[in-house]
Amino acid sequence: MRVQWFCFFLSCLTRRVLRGGAELLFDGIKQHQVTLPNQSNPWDIRQLLVWIRHNLLKERPELFIQGDTVRPGILVLINDADWELMGELDYQLEDKDNIVFISTLHGG
Amino acid sequence: MPVNCSSCEERRAVLRRPKTGHSLCKDCFFHAFEEEIHHTIVSAKLFNPGEKVGIGASGGKDSTVLAHVLKVLNERYAYGLDLILVSVDEGISGYRDDSLETVKRNQQQYELPLKIVSYQELYGWTMDQIVKQVGLKNNCTFCGVFRRQALDRGAMMLGVNKICTGHNADDIAETVLMNFLRGDIARLRRCTSITTGSEGAIPRCKPLKYAYEKEIVLYAYFKKLDYFSTECIYSPNAYRGHARAFLKDLEAIRPSSIMDIIHSGENLSVKEDVRMPVQGTCTRCGYISSQSLCKACVLLEGLNRGLPKLGIGKHHKLHHKLLSQEPLSEQEERKLKAVDF
Ligand SMILES: [Zn+2]
Ligand SMILES: [Zn+2]
Ligand SMILES: [Zn+2]
């Protein structure tokens, strides 16, 4: 299953973590296309976060994840709608879904 | 499981508003967001027709949304305002380049005039030069003090009547919390007012005072506004960072927390006998200051004399010496020269 994942991180700290480099200046949108391994149960956001944490976040995962959810202050959009309307962690991913993470912390 | 808009009941909702809990579609959200800011402007009587209003523009999400919404409302409701974008270039290499580019694009997109004031032109020092002098640890003192005055001084040069800044509800709640934690009663009393005249000569106002950060970010996102963002590369304030994280934790549990804290701040009454600092003006530059020299002038004096630590921490005793150009004792010099990187 392929999931499009944009991160639109405003905080350079988080941004640095996600890009794995020391680049401070950022073009605004970073698009990741990830292919999630097949599993018997459908993927949900909760599992996606765990997957991102293990596969993409090399350092300081606490800037992105807190407990089993995103750190407060990070907005999540599922197919351009607030995830609060979509069931949040329980939303079941479908092929070609677009997930956007926007950090509101620190960005002036 | 798409949810329908609770206002028009037709289109698909795109967000749940933290303020009201309503689920709204894009159009109904844009409308509600803009109208609430209009309501804030009208009920607090922020502007008068014919005024020249400077918008503090950093290229970041808050000021970009502010500029966009003010432009829209100025036309929709015929405020009769002469709007101008004012940006500050601190002279941090690489840091402002992209954000200033964003502001320049905003100038064209919104057809608003733009003035960029540089630290070099205002103070004779760029932030990079200052960091070389004072080290990385102390420079946010300079950042904060210089930045606050830069906007005023830039605005003064342009002859504007008022400055608007993009401070949002989250910022104000955070400031209330910080002032409370620090026991800064004078600031606690002032920080929730929507217009302040106390910091500089030009009144400042915050039209986004009641706008949640989440909504500002989503407004910018759904409107595809062109904005740029980084935090200050010169060390974010750790204490403020904690206050912010704490607020976000509260908001996640109960979204109205932000507004509740602002209301607490607004309704706080300060006992009459609490000593408030007397406001005077700086004897050197005329800026509002409770000391004979304002913070910026003390910092500048330190930089110009090669005593970078002056102005960081408490050195009030030395101010009269500086004012009268008296030489400092060897011991005083040594204390002020030490820089910890
Ligand atoms: Zn609607
Ligand atoms: Zn700083
Ligand atoms: Zn001064």
Side-chain angles (χ1 to χ4, degrees), chain A residues 17-83:
Chain A
V17 170
L18 284 165
R19 305 197 86 197
E23 265 177 270
L24 276 169
L25 300 175
F26 180 47
D27 49 352
I29 297 184
K30 173 72 179 170
Q31 187 177 337
H32 298 249
Q33 270 222 19
V34 295
T35 306
L36 299 170
N38 285 324
Q39 58 176 43
S40 47
N41 300 322
W43 281 84
D44 58 21
I45 298 283
R46 185 180 284 106
Q47 293 164 333
L48 176 70
L49 292 177
V50 174
W51 188 88
I52 289 174
R53 189 191 195 292
H54 289 308
N55 293 279
L56 296 169
L57 298 177
K58 299 276 181 297
E59 37 173 325
R60 307 201 58 191
E62 74 277 8
L63 293 178
F64 182 66
I65 287 171
Q66 196 169 301
D68 70 343
T69 188
V70 290
R71 181 185 183 205
I74 293 179
L75 305 179
V76 185
L77 299 179
I78 299 168
N79 299 325
D80 259 3
D82 190 352
W83 76 328

Side-chain angles (χ1 to χ4, degrees), chain B residues 149-167:
Chain B
Q149 286 206 10
L151 203 53
D152 273 307
R153 290 174 189 230
M156 221 115 72
M157 281 172 11
L158 297 167
V160 309
N161 305 98
K162 257 161 212 166
I163 307 171
C164 291
T165 57
H167 292 94

Side-chain angles (χ1 to χ4, degrees), chain B residues 127 139-141 143-144 147 232-236:
Chain B
M127 232 10 242
N139 60 71
C140 265
T141 310
C143 266
R147 193 176 290 171
C232 174
I233 58 167
Y234 291 137
S235 142

Side-chain angles (χ1 to χ4, degrees), chain B residues 120-133:
Chain B
Q120 182 68 55
E121 127 191 47
L122 289 175
Y123 304 113
W125 289 80
T126 69
M127 232 10 242
D128 280 344
Q129 290 166 339
I130 292 171
V131 170
K132 262 190 212 134
Q133 290 286 315

Side-chain angles (χ1 to χ4, degrees), chain B residues 113-277:
Chain B
L114 164 69
K115 166 70 187 167
I116 299 175
V117 284
S118 71
Y119 275 23
Q120 182 68 55
E121 127 191 47
L122 289 175
Y123 304 113
W125 289 80
T126 69
M127 232 10 242
D128 280 344
Q129 290 166 339
I130 292 171
V131 170
K132 262 190 212 134
Q133 290 286 315
V134 304
L136 272 172
K137 218 171 149 188
N138 289 319
N139 60 71
C140 265
T141 310
F142 287 86
C143 266
V145 172
F146 282 5
R147 193 176 290 171
R148 219 168 309 142
Q149 286 206 10
L151 203 53
D152 273 307
R153 290 174 189 230
M156 221 115 72
M157 281 172 11
L158 297 167
V160 309
N161 305 98
K162 257 161 212 166
I163 307 171
C164 291
T165 57
H167 292 94
N168 60 42
D170 297 53
D171 295 331
I172 292 165
E174 177 187 290
T175 308
V176 171
L177 201 60
M178 296 278 291
N179 288 331
F180 186 78
L181 293 173
R182 286 193 291 229
D184 192 335
I185 305 299
R187 285 214 174 79
L188 188 54
R189 198 190 238 180
R190 288 197 302 257
C191 70
T192 52
S193 55
I194 191 160
T195 304
T196 45
S198 55
E199 291 257 12
I202 300 173
R204 288 199 176 201
C205 60
K206 306 167 187 144
L208 302 182
K209 180 186 171 188
Y210 298 111
Y212 271 63
E213 187 154 66
K214 173 179 173 180
E215 299 198 358
I216 289 172
V217 171
L218 291 180
Y219 185 89
Y221 179 81
F222 289 131
K223 281 264 179 195
K224 299 190 170 57
L225 297 187
D226 186 0
Y227 70 96
F228 174 82
S229 212
T230 49
E231 56 193 295
C232 174
I233 58 167
Y234 291 137
S235 142
N237 176 334
Y239 197 66
R240 187 170 277 277
H242 285 303
R244 187 63 147 210
F246 173 62
L247 262 187
K248 287 292 169 194
D249 286 343
L250 291 178
E251 190 190 2
I253 301 165
R254 197 181 53 169
S256 69
S257 306
I258 304 277
M259 220 44 95
D260 298 340
I261 291 171
I262 296 178
H263 286 150
S264 303
E266 285 172 341
N267 294 314
L268 203 75
S269 64
V270 179
K271 267 195 296 182
E272 283 308 318
D273 57 356
V274 170
R275 203 166 52 91
M276 304 298 262

Side-chain angles (χ1 to χ4, degrees), chain A residues 8 10-13 15 24-26 66 71-73 75 77-82 84-88 91 100 102 104-108, chain B residues 1 3 12-16 23 58 60-63 94-95 98 213-214 217-218 221-222 227-231 233 241 244 248-249 252:
Chain A
F8 203 116
L10 307 180
S11 150
C12 61
L13 257 181
R15 195 182 311 136
L24 276 169
L25 300 175
F26 180 47
Q66 196 169 301
R71 181 185 183 205
L75 305 179
L77 299 179
I78 299 168
N79 299 325
D80 259 3
D82 190 352
E84 289 182 32
L85 302 172
M86 307 288 282
E88 303 192 16
Y91 172 81
V100 177
I102 309 177
T104 64
L105 294 161
H106 303 295
Chain B
M1 54 206 108
V3 177
R12 188 178 80 120
V14 293
L15 87 158
R16 181 183 290 153
S23 305
S58 66
K61 62 180 197 312
D62 297 313
S63 62
Y95 168 62
D98 290 31
E213 187 154 66
K214 173 179 173 180
V217 171
L218 291 180
Y221 179 81
F222 289 131
Y227 70 96
F228 174 82
S229 212
T230 49
E231 56 193 295
I233 58 167
R244 187 63 147 210
K248 287 292 169 194
D249 286 343

